[in-house]
Amino acid sequence: MDHSPALLGALLGAGLLLIVMGFRTLTNQKLAEAARKRGFWPLNAGLILAAISMYMFAAAG
């Protein structure tokens, strides 16, 4: 049994979770400006993970 589709799905899910977490941090007006800017790290990491996963899905299919 090939586990690569499950791995790519988990990678995509983790990327989307990081995107949501980063976006929520960026839009939280209760945080200080420096704390809100730290939301860019998970947002960017999530975008990279999601893009890699989608590219690998397309390349494998």
Side-chain angles (χ1 to χ4, degrees):
M1 186 170 139
D2 190 18
H3 295 293
S4 60
L7 180 63
L8 292 176
L11 191 66
L12 180 62
L16 293 178
L17 182 64
L18 284 171
I19 290 169
V20 170
M21 288 171 50
F23 187 74
R24 286 183 64 207
T25 303
L26 283 173
T27 58
N28 188 353
Q29 296 293 327
K30 295 179 184 177
L31 295 175
E33 186 70 23
R36 285 183 33 214
K37 286 184 180 180
R38 277 183 270 159
F40 278 114
W41 286 102
L43 179 70
N44 290 336
L47 287 172
I48 291 169
L49 279 177
I52 289 171
S53 176
M54 287 187 278
Y55 173 76
M56 291 176 72
F57 268 124

